[in-house]
Amino acid sequence: MWSPSAVLTSKVSDAIADAFGDDLRGADPVLRPSQFADLQSNAALPLAKRVGMAPRDVAQRIVEHLRVDDVCAKVEISGPGFINLTLSDDWIARQVSSAATDARHGVPQEEPQRVVIDYSAPNVAKEMHVGHLRTTVVGDALARVLEYLGHTVIRQNHIGDWGTPFGMLIEHLLDVGEGSEEARAVETDPNAFYQTARVKFDTDPSFATRSRSRVVALQAGDSETLRLWDELVELSKHYFNAIYSRLGITLTDADLAGESTYNHDLGRVCEELEASGIATMSDGALCVFLEGYTGREGKPLPLIIRKSDGGYGYGTTDLAAVRHRVRTLHAERLIYVIGAPQSLHLNMVWETARKAGWLPPDITPVHVQIGNVLGEDRKILKTRSGAPLRLMALLDEAVATARAAIDQDRPEVDEATRAALAPKVGIGAVKYADLSVGHDSEYVFDLERMVALNGNTSRYLQYAAARIRSIFRGSGTGADDVIAQVKIVEPGERALALKLLSFGEVVSEVGSELEPHRLCTYLFDLAQTFSVFYEQCPVLKAEPQLRTSRLALCALSMHALVTGLDLLGIESPETM
Ligand code: ARG
């Protein structure tokens, strides 16, 4: 255990158990940073009521039982009964020295779980919108973090590859001709294809009629129709993959599990729910009514699983997906990284699955709610300079903005290097903007701010990592080769060492709380703490022992920055 708060949490818990008996061990030791000490425990306050003593006396008893001689330099009681804990420089130095030799730099290897994570999920023959961009980026960061923590991560890209729009899409494909330029455009820019089909459907009655019978043929499994459908899916895969590869997303074709995957199972899902009485007929549709779900005027809100025309809905597919993920993929943890407005839908699906016994009691699915990305007008970002939003064009714009910023800030860097840097900085900036705020909060898409060198941006972090790389270039040693007993002399060294000790804990928290912004905040703090250290403490010019000690702190800082960025799916260029 490297992290001071983890070590002291268990020490305080032990002291509470010793002082007041084992059944109070679970009393929360509540440790938090304080301006008076490295950490402060306010365990005594809630405990006082339970044991019927004054808080200060409780604090006193805890301190008497606290065995921290090797960890703390000072333990003090303050105010109404806070316990102030100041770590000893020596302990910090020892901990950080051993973290330096740990291959995982303090990130724990957790008890492995099978985690199924649903993210990205764009729709076939349709442009991905910024909401899809964000679930893709956030989901991918979570998948990377969970994998790094030792879990078996099963990615499920639940693409929208089925449903009524395919009638018009297939008819439009026939109209423009398979292999035609318009059809092939789906690989790069699906917007036009979809929009044209839509307009024809809305304005041309004979096209609409053809489209409707095409849907019937598709659902009946007509082989020619299925071939055409497959063609559209294939074209779309190229588009998705182009976006994924541009963004450095880990999803592959093997992770595709679109809505159509569950077609064969939908009839059974409905039959079973009907047989068990969970679903009932209402106005010709098969519905699940759940307690506490009401719509307008307090009317019970149904989850429709089979429409009156016999078609199945989005919810039916999701029910089949839950069942598949539990039974076949053997999920122990279920994560859905999906837009916040789908929360009601997901809750109804999960509750139904729970009733049906498809979702065992020990699995609590989690909806990682994705908030909106706004334009400068503070409305959902849908257009760029008047034209409908094309994701690829947005990414081009991000790279161009990064290039302009690099040209301005680093004119001395040669042209080829600047050109190579621009995509790493620009794409990193787009991803970091999605990741660094709470996943459920909205933010304004502002490229200038996102590529700034100052502030909580990926470029600032990439710069911090590159700066440390350059220290190593000047040192004659590789970052991996420094073996040192770290010494704490200056306050800057102490602060940096302390910060480094909580890297593993933060990564682990991202895995448990599913909040990538915690890692961003940590990395930003770390980069700033490093900056202060570097101002205070000469590295290469220090006397030999101190020089290796400081190089070890540099190496750990770089590892944390590079690993942290990598877990967020962001590259760390050699030079900036
Ligand atoms: N395709 C859907 C959309 O674009 C998202 C699907 C999310 N995943 C799921 N299992 N429902 O809104």
Side-chain angles (χ1 to χ4, degrees):
M1 245 190 307
W2 317 102
S3 117
S5 78
V7 170
L8 287 175
T9 297
S10 87
K11 297 259 181 202
V12 174
S13 295
D14 286 349
I16 293 173
D18 275 1
F20 299 104
D22 237 354
D23 45 331
L24 285 178
R25 174 182 292 277
D28 195 353
V30 256
L31 283 155
R32 54 177 193 207
S34 131
Q35 64 181 120
F36 306 108
D38 293 316
L39 288 162
Q40 183 176 71
S41 167
N42 62 5
L45 288 82
L47 212 56
K49 283 200 197 79
R50 296 176 64 179
V51 298
M53 283 167 64
R56 264 193 92 95
D57 296 338
V58 171
Q60 189 57 45
R61 284 272 294 273
I62 296 176
V63 169
E64 278 159 18
H65 288 85
L66 200 56
R67 272 179 281 279
V68 289
D69 291 349
D70 53 336
V71 182
C72 292
K74 202 163 69 181
V75 177
E76 276 174 343
I77 298 170
S78 75
F82 299 127
I83 303 169
N84 290 340
L85 302 154
T86 304
L87 299 159
S88 79
D89 292 356
D90 203 44
W91 181 80
I92 298 174
R94 267 185 286 129
Q95 288 287 106
V96 86
S97 303
S98 74
T101 57
D102 174 54
R104 294 174 57 83
H105 306 288
V107 178
Q109 185 87 41
E110 298 182 343
E111 182 74 39
Q113 267 195 321
R114 288 178 70 82
V115 185
V116 172
I117 176 164
D118 181 320
Y119 69 99
S120 192
N123 301 313
V124 164
K126 248 183 142 170
E127 180 75 35
M128 273 169 91
H129 55 68
V130 282
H132 290 124
L133 172 69
R134 200 166 177 196
T135 111
T136 305
V137 168
V138 171
D140 209 54
L142 292 175
R144 286 168 186 257
V145 166
L146 291 164
E147 235 154 28
Y148 193 65
L149 288 167
H151 302 292
T152 303
V153 175
I154 304 163
R155 295 161 171 81
Q156 293 284 282
N157 192 356
H158 195 90
I159 58 170
D161 62 355
W162 201 254
T164 43
F166 282 90
M168 71 175 197
L169 291 169
I170 291 170
E171 284 305 315
H172 184 52
L173 176 62
L174 286 171
D175 287 359
V176 298
E178 289 175 69
S180 68
E181 208 172 305
E182 283 106 314
R184 281 204 323 272
V186 174
E187 289 184 352
T188 49
D189 180 10
N191 235 1
F193 186 90
Y194 189 90
Q195 291 310 332
T196 316
R198 179 89 250 170
V199 169
K200 274 172 31 185
F201 187 84
D202 291 338
T203 54
D204 175 351
S206 76
F207 181 81
T209 310
R210 274 198 276 146
S211 301
R212 286 199 193 90
S213 39
R214 191 55 81 172
V215 175
V216 176
L218 183 65
Q219 270 157 0
D222 170 60
S223 63
E224 175 61 5
T225 304
L226 280 173
R227 189 188 64 74
L228 291 161
W229 165 79
D230 198 52
E231 171 97 35
L232 282 172
V233 176
E234 277 306 314
L235 290 166
S236 283
K237 275 197 218 166
H238 284 275
Y239 168 69
F240 301 152
N241 287 335
I243 298 271
Y244 294 155
S245 103
R246 188 91 196 268
L247 284 167
I249 297 299
T250 59
L251 287 167
T252 68
D253 284 355
D255 305 314
L256 286 170
E259 294 175 9
S260 68
T261 320
Y262 305 102
N263 283 349
H264 68 282
D265 208 23
L266 303 180
R268 257 195 326 235
V269 163
C270 290
E271 277 161 32
E272 283 186 34
L273 290 176
E274 195 171 15
S276 58
I278 297 169
T280 46
M281 292 300 290
S282 167
D283 290 333
L286 188 60
C287 301
V288 178
F289 291 96
L290 297 158
E291 218 171 296
Y293 291 87
T294 46
R296 255 176 280 156
E297 294 157 19
K299 273 202 190 147
L301 190 72
L303 177 69
I304 300 176
I305 57 170
R306 195 180 58 224
K307 294 178 241 169
S308 51
D309 67 3
Y312 304 109
Y314 185 51
T316 328
T317 313
D318 263 321
L319 280 167
V322 172
R323 189 153 87 155
H324 172 73
R325 289 167 193 186
V326 172
R327 275 193 197 167
T328 314
L329 302 177
H330 304 292
E332 293 168 283
R333 193 173 178 197
L334 286 175
I335 301 171
Y336 291 73
V337 188
I338 306 182
Q342 295 198 32
S343 148
L344 178 72
H345 161 79
L346 285 176
N347 281 306
M348 293 183 86
V349 165
W350 297 338
E351 216 168 294
T352 305
R354 184 84 75 198
K355 274 187 149 180
W358 301 334
L359 188 56
D362 57 334
I363 301 180
T364 307
V366 179
H367 180 191
V368 176
Q369 303 200 5
I370 297 300
N372 291 328
V373 181
L374 309 177
E376 256 123 66
D377 56 0
R378 299 206 59 93
K379 294 201 184 105
I380 295 181
L381 185 65
K382 275 200 179 125
T383 60
R384 272 317 256 181
S385 43
L389 189 90
R390 281 187 55 218
L391 204 50
M392 209 44 117
L394 190 75
L395 299 178
D396 290 341
E397 201 184 329
V399 174
T401 311
R403 178 64 204 262
I406 297 166
D407 288 349
Q408 186 175 352
D409 300 336
R410 311 281 299 166
E412 72 283 9
V413 174
D414 66 86
E415 151 76 30
T417 309
R418 278 182 278 141
L421 272 180
K424 298 180 181 172
V425 170
I427 299 295
V430 169
K431 296 178 87 173
Y432 195 79
D434 271 343
L435 294 163
S436 56
V437 295
H439 56 69
D440 54 349
S441 57
E442 33 179 48
Y443 75 89
V444 173
F445 192 89
D446 173 358
L447 283 172
E448 300 292 334
R449 179 190 60 79
M450 283 152 55
V451 302
L453 204 42
N454 293 312
N456 188 5
T457 63
S458 50
R459 187 161 170 228
Y460 175 71
L461 300 180
Q462 290 171 321
Y463 179 76
R467 181 148 82 149
I468 308 178
R469 289 190 204 271
S470 91
I471 298 173
F472 277 101
R473 277 196 298 276
S475 77
T477 6
D480 292 330
D481 307 326
V482 203
I483 305 165
Q485 209 51 50
V486 173
K487 295 209 294 187
I488 308 276
V489 183
E490 298 292 331
E493 286 169 307
R494 190 183 193 276
L496 180 59
L498 253 188
K499 193 81 214 162
L500 286 167
L501 288 180
S502 50
F503 177 60
E505 185 176 48
V506 172
V507 174
S508 172
E509 265 172 28
V510 173
S512 58
E513 306 303 314
L514 306 174
E515 290 177 345
H517 78 269
R518 292 175 186 241
L519 181 54
C520 299
T521 307
Y522 172 83
L523 294 175
F524 182 52
D525 282 352
L526 173 64
Q528 287 181 308
T529 311
F530 182 84
S531 226
V532 174
F533 155 83
Y534 198 53
E535 266 161 42
Q536 273 182 10
C537 309
V539 176
L540 299 181
K541 295 206 175 85
E543 51 91 2
Q545 252 201 345
L546 213 49
R547 185 177 187 270
T548 24
S549 163
R550 288 179 179 168
L551 278 173
L553 289 175
C554 289
L556 261 179
S557 303
M558 195 181 92
H559 277 297
L561 285 166
V562 172
T563 309
L565 283 169
D566 184 53
L567 291 174
L568 298 171
I570 297 173
E571 289 185 72
S572 315
E574 277 300 315
T575 58
M576 284 288 288

